[in-house]
């Protein structure tokens, strides 16, 4: 398997605040790497031959690339907005394709069945029409005007509300969602899923959040998001086929799957195929 | 109110939450940042429990750090029917499975922490010890069924079932399949059907029983 153009993209490889000089041994797309803090306190990433890889420290995490990034790491302007709380949710390993982890994050229709009584509840199962586009200027997938009824949309929500969402795919394994911020209706809460591809069917997932919520203790914010993601994990580990199919085959997408369809199309257009299945089987 | 130092993803903490829910006891939950913060190894919690583990249960002057003791305490206070009766064999079986549950924690729990939260361990050894424990549990349930009993120690659920259930139900999180164990699956279903049952991430509630399908007369 050659990695192809995904080699030149940025990937999360650790929480910056948890680095030490001994370093964290991990993998990036089958390549062993070490993520450490050097004598100056800066993040340093090396591959198995000792080569120093490009590094960015952003959004609580260390980012690197095995290739030569043609673009700067994507921007999340909300990360610099005063008053937000930034939450490093912590790593969770999932035995699934990194692309499937992203695709699941983009899906709304599963909320009532997997995140019952939190992000959805029967009989409120309808996904209303929303808009999806590939924004050519920034080369990102965006879904907007998404809305869904949620019994407990956020830790800061006190009851059921109809939540507005925007979804954004900012890199092949990096996705950001913007959702109604219950305490501050004019702003969006930012919830991300940063996925570190270890192998084509194995990934470390690093959720991160930038929220307006002055009341909820940090631990409760972490646990809310861990609860949601761990409800997804067992589903992700049982998806068949293991790799994300990019060619039309046995699957029949519905209207609710428009974001997934656009994501797959975008992956295919860029030849981002690490973790993908190309010929329908 | 009893105070539980709790982590939403910990099967041992879930045992206590589940027992409390099944016996109608309200708990004051104090969330512990086990991951990624390692708060259970910090000075405040080590002062309560030098073993550095959670759950920890406080009720007045009583401080408990072993989940099996917490199950017994909750049952004794609120619903003694969950404890062993006066029958010697039943009492022994309850103790047997309460102790056995520690093996599930060490093996299946260790495999789960390794596979999910990247904690150190020899995954091959943890998984094979977990499989050995599951086989023993499966056999125990089959033998109970032959005695006409649906649960580990009696024909009613006891603290022993609650002590064993969470790590078993979450075995797939650690890469150990439950497919080979039909008796365990029936037992798990019986427990999940109990009035007052609550779920945790990775343990889903039973889907509402759907109405019987309308069979058309003369259909194929």
């Amino acid at each position: 398997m050659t990695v192809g153009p995904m080699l030149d993209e940025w990937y999360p490889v650790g929480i910056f605040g948890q680095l030490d000089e001994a370093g964290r041994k991990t993998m990036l797309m089958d390549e062993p790497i070490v993520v450490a803090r050097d004598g100056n306190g800066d993040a340093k990433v090396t591959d198995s031959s000792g080569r120093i890889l490009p590094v960015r420290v952003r959004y609580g995490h260390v980012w690197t690339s095995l290739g030569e990034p043609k673009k700067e790491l994507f921007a999340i302007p909300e990360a610099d907005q005063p008053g937000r709380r930034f939450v490093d949710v912590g790593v969770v390993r999932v035995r699934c394709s990194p692309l499937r982890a992203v695709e699941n994050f983009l899906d709304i229709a599963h909320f009532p069945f997997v995140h019952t009584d939190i992000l959805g509840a029967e009989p409120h199962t309808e996904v209303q029409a929303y808009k999806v586009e590939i924004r050519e200027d920034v080369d990102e997938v965006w879904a907007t005007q998404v809305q869904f009824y949620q019994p407990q949309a956020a830790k800061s929500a006190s009851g059921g509300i109809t939540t507005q969402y925007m979804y954004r795919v900012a890199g092949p394994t990096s996705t950001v969602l913007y959702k109604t911020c219950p305490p501050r209706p004019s702003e969006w809460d930012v919830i991300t899923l940063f996925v570190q591809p270890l192998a084509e069917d194995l990934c470390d997932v690093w959720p991160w959040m930038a929220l307006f919520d002055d009341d909820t203790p940090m631990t409760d914010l972490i646990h809310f998001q861990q609860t949601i993601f761990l409800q997804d994990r067992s589903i992700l580990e049982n998806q068949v086929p293991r790799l994300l199919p990019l060619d039309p085959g046995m699957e029949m997408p519905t209207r609710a799957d428009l974001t997934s369809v656009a994501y797959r199309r975008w992956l295919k257009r860029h030849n981002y195929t690490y973790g993908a299945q190309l010929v329908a089987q | 109110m009893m105070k539980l130092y709790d982590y939403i993803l910990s099967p041992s903490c879930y045992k206590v939450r589940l027992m409390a829910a099944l016996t109608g006891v309200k708990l004051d939950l104090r969330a512990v940042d086990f991951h990624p913060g390692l708060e259970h190894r910090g000075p405040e919690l080590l002062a309560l429990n030098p073993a550095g583990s959670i759950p920890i249960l406080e009720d007045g002057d009583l401080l408990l750090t072993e989940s099996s003791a917490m199950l017994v305490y909750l049952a004794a206070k609120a619903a003694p029917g969950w404890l062993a009766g006066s029958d010697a064999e039943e009492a022994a079986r309850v103790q047997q499975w309460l102790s056995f549950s520690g093996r599930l924690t060490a093996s299946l729990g260790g495999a789960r922490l390794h596979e999910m939260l990247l904690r150190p361990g020899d995954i091959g050894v943890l998984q094979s010890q977990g499989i050995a424990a599951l086989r023993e549990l499966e056999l125990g349930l089959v033998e109970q069924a032959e005695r006409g009993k649906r649960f580990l120690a009696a024909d009613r659920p006891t603290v022993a079932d609650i002590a064993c259930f969470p790590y078993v139900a979450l075995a797939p999180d650690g890469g150990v399949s439950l497919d080979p164990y039909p008796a365990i699956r029936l037992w798990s279903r019986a427990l999940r059907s109990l009035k007052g049952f609550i779920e945790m991430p990775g343990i889903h509630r039973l889907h509402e029983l759907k109405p019987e399908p309308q069979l058309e007369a003369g259909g194929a």
Side-chain angles (χ1 to χ4, degrees):
Chain A
M1 171 73 208
T2 55
V3 173
M6 277 175 71
L7 199 73
D8 295 327
E9 296 293 317
W10 293 103
Y11 300 98
V13 290
I15 292 177
F16 179 65
Q18 290 192 330
L19 290 189
D20 56 26
E21 291 195 17
R24 168 176 190 266
K25 286 184 186 162
T26 179
M27 302 283 287
L28 183 56
M29 298 190 287
D30 300 296
E31 170 74 26
I33 59 169
V34 179
V35 186
R37 190 183 279 261
D38 69 14
N40 298 323
D42 297 323
K44 180 180 169 186
V45 184
T46 45
D47 72 6
S48 56
S49 66
R51 182 173 61 115
I52 294 174
L53 302 179
V55 166
R56 296 289 181 276
V57 177
R58 207 70 181 94
Y59 322 129
H61 291 76
V62 180
W63 299 77
T64 194
S65 175
L66 293 173
E68 293 167 7
K70 294 175 178 57
K71 275 177 24 178
E72 191 43 63
L73 180 65
F74 57 88
I76 303 179
E78 290 81 2
D80 301 318
Q81 200 176 4
R84 285 188 187 263
R85 288 170 73 197
F86 305 110
V87 186
D88 298 334
V89 176
V91 67
V92 178
R93 179 161 295 176
V94 189
R95 193 157 288 283
C96 76
S97 157
L99 307 179
R100 280 209 181 270
V102 169
E103 189 199 47
N104 176 75
F105 190 76
L106 303 173
D107 178 58
I108 308 134
H110 74 286
F111 286 175
F113 311 105
V114 177
H115 309 298
T116 312
D117 295 343
I118 306 175
L119 299 185
E122 293 180 85
H124 309 281
T125 58
E126 184 186 351
V127 179
Q128 295 167 39
Y130 59 90
K131 286 179 67 172
V132 178
E133 59 185 332
I134 295 176
R135 294 190 179 169
E136 304 291 348
D137 55 336
V138 285
D139 193 25
E140 294 182 350
V141 181
W142 278 78
T144 55
Q145 299 175 25
V146 182
Q147 52 181 340
F148 207 72
Y149 174 81
Q150 302 196 319
Q152 197 198 346
K155 200 70 200 177
S156 56
S158 52
I161 54 173
T162 295
T163 309
Q164 315 290 323
Y165 275 83
M166 294 191 293
Y167 284 94
R168 167 188 178 199
V169 178
T173 67
S174 292
T175 181
V176 183
L177 86 77
Y178 302 83
K179 69 187 284 191
T180 304
C181 171
R184 213 184 276 207
S186 63
E187 299 282 356
W188 297 93
D189 273 342
V190 174
I191 300 174
T192 74
L193 204 70
F194 302 145
V195 181
Q196 173 183 354
L198 302 165
E200 283 200 276
D201 60 354
L202 186 68
C203 53
D204 279 351
V205 176
W206 306 88
W208 178 80
M209 305 192 286
L211 311 175
F212 284 111
D213 180 342
D214 294 331
D215 301 327
T216 308
M218 182 60 90
T219 300
D220 290 349
L221 294 174
I222 291 171
H223 289 183
F224 183 81
Q225 203 55 24
Q226 287 184 352
T227 297
I228 302 296
F229 189 67
L230 267 292
Q231 290 174 335
D232 285 316
R233 184 178 180 271
S234 59
I235 308 289
L236 280 167
E237 295 202 332
N238 285 291
Q239 286 180 336
V240 177
R242 298 292 289 274
L243 303 182
L244 183 72
L246 293 190
D247 291 320
M250 299 295 282
E251 292 179 320
M252 284 241 244
T254 69
R255 214 182 151 80
D257 301 321
L258 278 178
T259 317
S260 162
V261 171
Y263 174 55
R264 294 184 190 200
R265 195 173 289 157
W266 179 82
L267 290 171
K268 195 165 182 186
R269 179 206 279 190
H270 288 290
N271 210 13
Y272 290 153
T273 56
Y274 185 86
Q277 174 182 293
L278 279 172
V279 177
Q281 290 168 347
Chain B
M1 197 188 302
M2 293 185 211
K3 180 175 181 181
L4 180 69
Y5 289 80
D6 181 47
Y7 177 41
I8 186 72
L9 301 184
S10 155
S12 293
C13 295
Y14 168 65
K15 290 179 192 180
V16 184
R17 296 196 304 270
L18 176 59
M19 193 75 229
L22 290 167
T23 54
V25 175
K26 289 258 183 294
L27 296 173
D28 172 19
L29 298 179
R30 151 70 160 88
V32 175
D33 182 8
F34 178 94
H35 177 79
L38 300 177
E39 188 188 356
H40 57 300
R41 299 279 164 81
E44 185 198 347
L45 268 72
L46 281 176
L48 290 175
N49 179 14
S53 62
I54 49 172
I56 302 169
L57 186 72
E58 275 181 351
D59 190 23
D61 290 339
L62 183 70
L63 181 77
L64 298 175
T65 60
E66 295 291 337
S67 60
S68 290
M70 297 174 204
L71 301 183
V72 168
Y73 183 63
L74 285 167
K77 283 204 86 158
W82 284 85
L83 300 172
S86 54
D87 178 67
E89 192 177 314
E90 183 181 300
R93 283 194 207 288
V94 168
Q95 286 303 322
Q96 171 75 19
W97 291 113
L98 282 178
S99 297
F100 175 87
S101 69
R103 278 175 54 198
L104 297 170
T105 309
S107 58
L108 296 174
R112 180 172 176 269
L113 282 176
H114 182 277
E115 292 295 275
M116 202 167 88
L117 303 183
L118 317 190
R119 297 295 154 90
D122 183 333
I123 186 63
V125 170
L126 293 169
Q127 287 175 336
S128 56
Q129 288 173 346
I131 289 166
L134 286 175
R135 289 171 65 99
E136 203 171 323
L137 189 82
E138 174 79 6
L139 183 62
L141 286 165
V142 168
E143 288 174 347
Q144 280 292 88
E146 286 171 355
R147 297 179 197 109
K149 296 174 179 174
R150 287 169 298 161
F151 295 95
L152 282 172
D155 194 32
R156 62 176 202 290
T158 65
V159 287
D161 296 286
I162 304 305
C164 291
F165 169 71
Y167 284 100
V168 170
L170 293 167
D173 278 352
V176 175
S177 171
L178 291 173
D179 290 352
Y181 312 109
I184 287 177
R185 288 204 304 281
L186 280 173
W187 168 73
S188 166
R189 191 178 168 83
L191 288 170
R192 291 192 297 152
S193 306
L194 294 173
K195 190 173 180 319
F197 180 86
I198 55 169
E199 64 256 39
M200 71 166 272
I203 299 180
H204 305 284
R205 76 180 69 168
L206 285 181
H207 206 273
E208 299 292 335
L209 288 176
K210 291 190 172 144
E212 290 287 320
Q214 299 286 323
L215 296 178
E216 285 178 34

